[in-house]
Amino acid sequence: MNKVVTFRNMELNDIPAVAAIENLSFAIPWTPEAFERELTANEYAYYIVAEEANEVIGYCGMWLIVDESHITNIAIHPSCRGRKLGEQLLTYCMNQARLKGAKTMTLEVRVSNETAQNLYRKLGFLNGGIRKRYYTDNYEDALIMWVNL
């Protein structure tokens, strides 16, 4: 039986769980302090967590500026991957951005991350360009993707 996954706004007490997922997911993880700044000092930031059995299993951050939304980060705990939770989470965030007046959404993804690119394309994202040497760990290029909401 599948457990129920719910989505809600991220709170400060979610940061340790989010930071743990971040560390398991990215070569250059954000610090807990970076997430705290996003939640307390960035008026454009909007963060959602995915929760299952009262545990944070994923999160997505975005900035909403006028009518544009920009995904800052999205990750699902490695033990929960392969269940289409990333698709559910991103779909939820796209709907939230639309409700808040966003007309477009954009993000950057490593050119080598075909799994993520396939998800984004499935949800309607298109290639928008390349940011050369975007990632500082190995200077990999980032693919810019965007979608009309």
Side-chain angles (χ1 to χ4, degrees):
M1 182 172 98
N2 281 344
K3 297 177 187 170
V4 174
V5 175
T6 58
F7 304 103
R8 62 171 174 78
N9 290 345
M10 185 188 297
E11 301 170 356
L12 288 172
N13 61 359
D14 295 321
I15 290 174
V18 166
I21 296 168
E22 177 84 0
N23 282 313
L24 291 168
S25 301
F26 297 109
I28 311 169
W30 285 23
T31 63
E33 294 78 17
F35 285 107
E36 183 176 347
R37 276 192 307 276
E38 287 290 282
L39 293 181
T40 61
N42 183 348
E43 65 181 298
Y44 304 110
Y46 185 75
Y47 281 74
I48 298 294
V49 293
E51 204 170 43
E52 181 177 74
N54 294 318
E55 285 193 39
V56 173
I57 60 165
Y59 63 93
C60 181
M62 63 182 151
W63 295 340
L64 297 166
I65 303 171
V66 190
D67 62 352
E68 298 179 2
S69 56
H70 176 85
I71 297 293
T72 57
N73 41 20
I74 182 170
I76 299 293
H77 192 283
S79 68
C80 297
R81 292 181 188 158
R83 295 171 41 202
K84 302 202 180 296
L85 298 174
E87 180 178 345
Q88 292 174 42
L89 176 59
L90 185 53
T91 299
Y92 180 88
C93 289
M94 291 170 74
N95 288 331
Q96 291 299 304
R98 189 179 300 113
L99 289 171
K100 292 178 179 302
K103 292 183 175 23
T104 61
M105 180 174 274
T106 186
L107 53 79
E108 292 93 8
V109 58
R110 288 179 185 267
V111 294
S112 64
N113 191 345
E114 292 181 19
T115 302
Q117 290 175 39
N118 288 337
L119 167 62
Y120 303 145
R121 286 189 184 99
K122 181 177 180 181
L123 295 178
F125 282 79
L126 302 171
N127 293 1
I130 297 287
R131 292 195 198 282
K132 292 287 189 190
R133 300 172 56 85
Y134 183 77
Y135 294 97
T136 57
D137 63 324
N138 64 357
Y139 300 105
E140 183 175 357
D141 294 347
L143 174 62
I144 304 163
M145 299 184 80
W146 63 273
V147 65
N148 286 322
L149 297 174

